[in-house]
Every structure is written in structure tokens, then in C-alpha cells.
Tab-separated table of all heavy atoms in Angstrom:
chain	number	residue	atom	x	y	z
A	1	LEU	N	-14.325	56.322	70.361
A	1	LEU	CA	-12.966	55.744	70.612
A	1	LEU	C	-12.675	54.520	69.750
A	1	LEU	O	-11.590	54.392	69.215
A	1	LEU	CB	-12.806	55.450	72.132
A	1	LEU	CG	-12.750	56.633	73.019
A	1	LEU	CD1	-12.892	56.160	74.533
A	1	LEU	CD2	-11.565	57.482	72.842
A	2	PHE	N	-13.671	53.660	69.662
A	2	PHE	CA	-13.480	52.522	68.765
A	2	PHE	C	-13.204	52.893	67.345
A	2	PHE	O	-12.301	52.399	66.709
A	2	PHE	CB	-14.746	51.580	68.810
A	2	PHE	CG	-14.643	50.491	69.817
A	2	PHE	CD1	-14.760	50.764	71.164
A	2	PHE	CD2	-14.484	49.148	69.442
A	2	PHE	CE1	-14.717	49.725	72.094
A	2	PHE	CE2	-14.381	48.169	70.300
A	2	PHE	CZ	-14.527	48.416	71.689
A	3	ARG	N	-13.952	53.890	66.852
A	3	ARG	CA	-13.719	54.417	65.483
A	3	ARG	C	-12.386	55.007	65.334
A	3	ARG	O	-11.686	54.888	64.357
A	3	ARG	CB	-14.857	55.393	65.130
A	3	ARG	CG	-16.163	54.710	64.814
A	3	ARG	CD	-17.311	55.665	64.753
A	3	ARG	NE	-17.127	56.704	63.717
A	3	ARG	CZ	-17.738	56.709	62.554
A	3	ARG	NH1	-18.540	55.692	62.242
A	3	ARG	NH2	-17.479	57.671	61.678
A	4	ALA	N	-11.964	55.806	66.354
A	4	ALA	CA	-10.665	56.540	66.242
A	4	ALA	C	-9.502	55.549	66.240
A	4	ALA	O	-8.493	55.874	65.598
A	4	ALA	CB	-10.528	57.445	67.447
A	5	TYR	N	-9.703	54.393	66.851
A	5	TYR	CA	-8.582	53.413	66.893
A	5	TYR	C	-8.796	52.274	65.891
A	5	TYR	O	-8.295	51.142	66.022
A	5	TYR	CB	-8.451	52.908	68.263
A	5	TYR	CG	-7.711	53.928	69.148
A	5	TYR	CD1	-8.477	54.866	69.837
A	5	TYR	CD2	-6.361	53.934	69.302
A	5	TYR	CE1	-7.910	55.851	70.612
A	5	TYR	CE2	-5.750	54.895	70.102
A	5	TYR	CZ	-6.482	55.831	70.735
A	5	TYR	OH	-5.878	56.835	71.502
A	6	GLY	N	-9.527	52.540	64.758
A	6	GLY	CA	-9.609	51.650	63.602
A	6	GLY	C	-10.697	50.695	63.475
A	6	GLY	O	-10.769	49.946	62.537
A	7	ALA	N	-11.681	50.669	64.408
A	7	ALA	CA	-12.805	49.812	64.355
A	7	ALA	C	-13.977	50.504	63.610
A	7	ALA	O	-13.951	51.730	63.400
A	7	ALA	CB	-13.303	49.404	65.728
A	8	THR	N	-14.979	49.746	63.211
A	8	THR	CA	-16.207	50.258	62.675
A	8	THR	C	-17.365	49.965	63.641
A	8	THR	O	-17.279	49.086	64.481
A	8	THR	CB	-16.499	49.664	61.298
A	8	THR	OG1	-16.673	48.321	61.407
A	8	THR	CG2	-15.445	50.086	60.269
A	9	THR	N	-18.419	50.788	63.479
A	9	THR	CA	-19.575	50.673	64.409
A	9	THR	C	-20.879	50.466	63.666
A	9	THR	O	-20.994	50.873	62.556
A	9	THR	CB	-19.629	51.892	65.332
A	9	THR	OG1	-19.707	53.053	64.525
A	9	THR	CG2	-18.397	51.979	66.237
A	10	ALA	N	-21.851	49.960	64.349
A	10	ALA	CA	-23.207	49.840	63.831
A	10	ALA	C	-24.195	49.909	65.025
A	10	ALA	O	-23.800	49.767	66.185
A	10	ALA	CB	-23.393	48.562	63.057
A	11	TYR	N	-25.493	50.209	64.654
A	11	TYR	CA	-26.429	50.406	65.765
A	11	TYR	C	-27.713	49.686	65.435
A	11	TYR	O	-28.157	49.614	64.283
A	11	TYR	CB	-26.711	51.952	65.941
A	11	TYR	CG	-25.353	52.657	66.192
A	11	TYR	CD1	-24.690	53.292	65.192
A	11	TYR	CD2	-24.840	52.612	67.468
A	11	TYR	CE1	-23.459	53.850	65.413
A	11	TYR	CE2	-23.600	53.193	67.739
A	11	TYR	CZ	-22.902	53.782	66.756
A	11	TYR	OH	-21.699	54.364	66.991
A	12	VAL	N	-28.378	49.212	66.482
A	12	VAL	CA	-29.576	48.358	66.378
A	12	VAL	C	-30.648	48.905	67.264
A	12	VAL	O	-30.367	49.209	68.471
A	12	VAL	CB	-29.262	46.867	66.773
A	12	VAL	CG1	-30.502	46.048	66.797
A	12	VAL	CG2	-28.197	46.301	65.822
A	13	PRO	N	-31.916	49.015	66.854
A	13	PRO	CA	-32.928	49.473	67.762
A	13	PRO	C	-33.156	48.519	68.900
A	13	PRO	O	-33.187	47.278	68.698
A	13	PRO	CB	-34.197	49.569	66.833
A	13	PRO	CG	-33.672	49.563	65.446
A	13	PRO	CD	-32.395	48.791	65.434
A	14	VAL	N	-33.329	49.055	70.116
A	14	VAL	CA	-33.565	48.219	71.327
A	14	VAL	C	-34.692	48.852	72.132
A	14	VAL	O	-35.041	49.987	71.912
A	14	VAL	CB	-32.272	48.065	72.164
A	14	VAL	CG1	-31.169	47.349	71.325
A	14	VAL	CG2	-31.787	49.456	72.630
A	15	GLY	N	-35.140	48.124	73.079
A	15	GLY	CA	-36.231	48.610	73.950
A	15	GLY	C	-35.666	49.390	75.065
A	15	GLY	O	-34.426	49.489	75.301
A	16	ASP	N	-36.518	50.016	75.805
A	16	ASP	CA	-36.135	50.814	77.016
A	16	ASP	C	-37.320	50.731	77.981
A	16	ASP	O	-38.439	50.815	77.591
A	16	ASP	CB	-35.877	52.252	76.642
A	16	ASP	CG	-35.319	53.048	77.825
A	16	ASP	OD1	-34.305	52.606	78.408
A	16	ASP	OD2	-35.902	54.073	78.161
A	17	ARG	N	-36.993	50.512	79.218
A	17	ARG	CA	-38.035	50.336	80.232
A	17	ARG	C	-37.896	51.408	81.343
A	17	ARG	O	-36.813	51.862	81.647
A	17	ARG	CB	-37.942	48.934	80.861
A	17	ARG	CG	-37.983	47.851	79.811
A	17	ARG	CD	-37.950	46.471	80.373
A	17	ARG	NE	-36.654	46.128	81.030
A	17	ARG	CZ	-36.270	44.871	81.203
A	17	ARG	NH1	-36.987	43.908	80.773
A	17	ARG	NH2	-35.142	44.640	81.815
A	18	ALA	N	-38.958	51.681	82.020
A	18	ALA	CA	-38.935	52.593	83.143
A	18	ALA	C	-38.218	51.912	84.261
A	18	ALA	O	-38.296	50.645	84.504
A	18	ALA	CB	-40.331	52.983	83.567
A	19	ARG	N	-37.472	52.679	85.045
A	19	ARG	CA	-36.839	52.199	86.255
A	19	ARG	C	-37.892	51.732	87.300
A	19	ARG	O	-38.809	52.507	87.549
A	19	ARG	CB	-35.938	53.238	86.887
A	19	ARG	CG	-35.365	52.937	88.252
A	19	ARG	CD	-34.638	54.072	88.752
A	19	ARG	NE	-33.249	54.146	88.272
A	19	ARG	CZ	-32.245	53.514	88.852
A	19	ARG	NH1	-32.452	52.791	89.921
A	19	ARG	NH2	-31.027	53.599	88.330
A	20	ARG	N	-37.809	50.509	87.770
A	20	ARG	CA	-38.824	50.049	88.761
A	20	ARG	C	-38.552	50.487	90.141
A	20	ARG	O	-39.472	50.793	90.931
A	20	ARG	CB	-38.831	48.499	88.715
A	20	ARG	CG	-39.375	47.936	87.384
A	20	ARG	CD	-39.462	46.436	87.469
A	20	ARG	NE	-39.944	45.824	86.249
A	20	ARG	CZ	-40.138	44.596	86.038
A	20	ARG	NH1	-39.817	43.735	86.998
A	20	ARG	NH2	-40.628	44.135	84.856
A	21	HIS	N	-37.284	50.538	90.551
A	21	HIS	CA	-36.916	50.873	91.964
A	21	HIS	C	-35.768	51.881	92.001
A	21	HIS	O	-34.920	51.878	91.148
A	21	HIS	CB	-36.585	49.591	92.732
A	21	HIS	CG	-37.632	48.518	92.745
A	21	HIS	ND1	-38.761	48.617	93.593
A	21	HIS	CD2	-37.787	47.412	92.035
A	21	HIS	CE1	-39.511	47.563	93.348
A	21	HIS	NE2	-38.949	46.813	92.416
A	22	GLY	N	-35.789	52.665	93.051
A	22	GLY	CA	-34.619	53.577	93.288
A	22	GLY	C	-34.669	54.748	92.332
A	22	GLY	O	-35.593	54.983	91.572
A	23	ALA	N	-33.543	55.505	92.381
A	23	ALA	CA	-33.410	56.710	91.561
A	23	ALA	C	-32.060	56.606	90.824
A	23	ALA	O	-31.158	55.933	91.279
A	23	ALA	CB	-33.447	57.944	92.390
A	24	SER	N	-32.005	57.321	89.725
A	24	SER	CA	-30.778	57.339	88.962
A	24	SER	C	-29.609	57.867	89.711
A	24	SER	O	-29.820	58.778	90.558
A	24	SER	CB	-31.010	58.167	87.665
A	24	SER	OG	-29.773	58.291	86.947
A	25	ASN	N	-28.392	57.344	89.484
A	25	ASN	CA	-27.204	57.838	90.131
A	25	ASN	C	-26.705	59.104	89.430
A	25	ASN	O	-25.666	59.689	89.960
A	25	ASN	CB	-26.133	56.793	90.133
A	25	ASN	CG	-26.542	55.591	90.954
A	25	ASN	OD1	-26.950	55.737	92.106
A	25	ASN	ND2	-26.364	54.398	90.336
A	26	TYR	N	-27.323	59.534	88.349
A	26	TYR	CA	-26.902	60.714	87.651
A	26	TYR	C	-28.025	61.690	87.536
A	26	TYR	O	-29.194	61.356	87.351
A	26	TYR	CB	-26.442	60.368	86.228
A	26	TYR	CG	-25.276	59.386	86.144
A	26	TYR	CD1	-25.511	58.074	85.923
A	26	TYR	CD2	-23.961	59.864	86.249
A	26	TYR	CE1	-24.401	57.175	85.893
A	26	TYR	CE2	-22.872	59.011	86.198
A	26	TYR	CZ	-23.119	57.639	86.040
A	26	TYR	OH	-22.086	56.748	85.955
């Protein structure tokens, strides 16, 4: 949507961690 409405995008590597408590809502 940002690109469609005239913006540009970029992406940066990030970390990811296991969920500590509960379950995903999806």
C-alpha cells in the first residue's frame, strides 16, 4: 500500500524469538 501510494520501501534483517507465554491468536 505504501508503494502504491507513492512511497518507497526498504528492509533490514532483524531477530526473532520464540513466544514465551500463551499461544498465537492466529
